[in-house]
Amino acid sequence: MATYDAYDKSKVNDDWKTPLYAWKQIEEYIPTDKQIWCPFYYNGEHSLKDLRDIIHIDENFFENDRGDIVVDNPPFSIKKQVIQRLLELDKPFILLLPVSTICYQYFPRDKNIQIIIPPKRINFKADGKSSASFDTIYVCYKINLKRDIIFL
Ligand SMILES: C[S@@+](CC[C@H](N)C(=O)[O-])C[C@H]1O[C@@H](n2cnc3c(N)ncnc32)[C@H](O)[C@@H]1O
C-alpha cells in the first residue's frame, strides 16, 4: 500500500479497487496505439492489466510523468489536484470520477473534455467488500471521442 507526502492515509479512504468490468465496458474507447499510465497505486494489482499493457509503479503521481495517456481511478480526496496536474502536463486522460465533479468550479471548461456515462453504478471493492454510495462517470480529456457525451 502506497503512502505519499501531503497525503494522510489515516484521514481518507481512497483504497478502492476498480473492478474489471469498469474498464471492459469502455474498452473500445481506450486508445490502442498509446502507452497507458495507471499512476494511482494501491497494492500493485490493477484490473486494466487484464485488457492492456500498462505502466503501474509504486511512486508519487505528482512527481512523475509517464506514458502517453492516463487511464485510472484516482484518489477522490485529491481529485482536484489530480485533474490540475494532468492539465498542466497536457496529458490525455480517462479518469473515473464521481459525477458531482463536473459541477465543481475547478472542473475544466475545456472543449477537449468529454464524458462517458455507465449504464449502472460501478461498485468498487475494498477489503473484500463491494460498495459505492455515489455514481461515477468517465471524464475524458483529449481522447477525441466521436461524441462529447456517450451513454453506454
Ligand atoms: C481509488 S484507488 C484506485 C486504485 C487503482 N488505481 C484501481 O483503479 O484499482 C486510488 C489509490 O491511489 C493511491 N494514491 C494516493 N495518492 C497517490 C499518489 N500521490 N500517487 C500515486 N498513488 C496515490 C491511494 O493509495 C489509493 O489506493
Side-chain angles (χ1 to χ4, degrees):
M1 193 177 301
T3 52
Y4 305 98
D5 292 346
Y7 183 74
D8 186 346
K9 286 285 244 188
S10 65
K11 296 204 177 127
V12 293
N13 180 9
D14 279 330
D15 289 334
W16 295 87
K17 283 163 61 179
T18 314
L20 176 59
Y21 76 83
W23 303 124
K24 255 200 162 125
Q25 66 188 0
I26 60 154
E27 192 174 0
E28 67 183 285
Y29 303 113
I30 304 175
T32 50
D33 59 343
K34 304 273 188 256
Q35 208 179 17
I36 298 173
W37 182 29
C38 302
F40 303 109
Y41 199 92
Y42 173 39
N43 61 1
E45 293 171 17
H46 200 297
S47 49
L48 189 54
K49 275 184 191 166
D50 287 11
L51 304 178
R52 297 292 172 81
D53 287 333
I54 60 169
I55 303 168
H56 189 54
I57 300 170
D58 188 1
E59 62 186 4
N60 188 349
F61 159 72
F62 294 99
E63 293 170 0
N64 291 281
D65 177 7
R66 299 185 186 277
D68 305 313
I69 168 182
V70 163
V71 181
D72 212 343
N73 169 17
F76 294 161
S77 65
I78 52 168
K79 57 188 183 308
K80 175 181 174 180
Q81 294 89 328
V82 167
I83 292 170
Q84 287 173 343
R85 169 75 178 156
L86 288 171
L87 293 177
E88 265 167 39
L89 296 175
D90 198 30
K91 178 83 71 187
F93 62 74
I94 301 176
L95 291 182
L96 259 169
L97 290 167
V99 66
S100 58
T101 314
I102 63 172
C103 300
Y104 285 92
Q105 272 187 348
Y106 64 76
F107 188 77
R109 273 67 178 154
D110 188 302
K111 64 177 173 27
N112 294 300
I113 291 283
Q114 300 176 306
I115 59 173
I116 303 174
I117 301 172
K120 63 176 188 173
R121 180 171 295 181
I122 295 171
N123 268 312
F124 299 92
K125 293 180 187 163
D127 299 332
K129 288 176 284 185
S130 178
S131 170
S133 56
F134 50 84
D135 289 291
T136 45
I137 57 173
Y138 305 86
V139 174
C140 307
Y141 173 69
K142 292 200 170 174
I143 300 298
N144 297 319
L145 303 174
K146 289 201 177 120
R147 281 177 287 128
D148 287 343
I149 302 180
I150 293 179
F151 291 91
L152 296 179

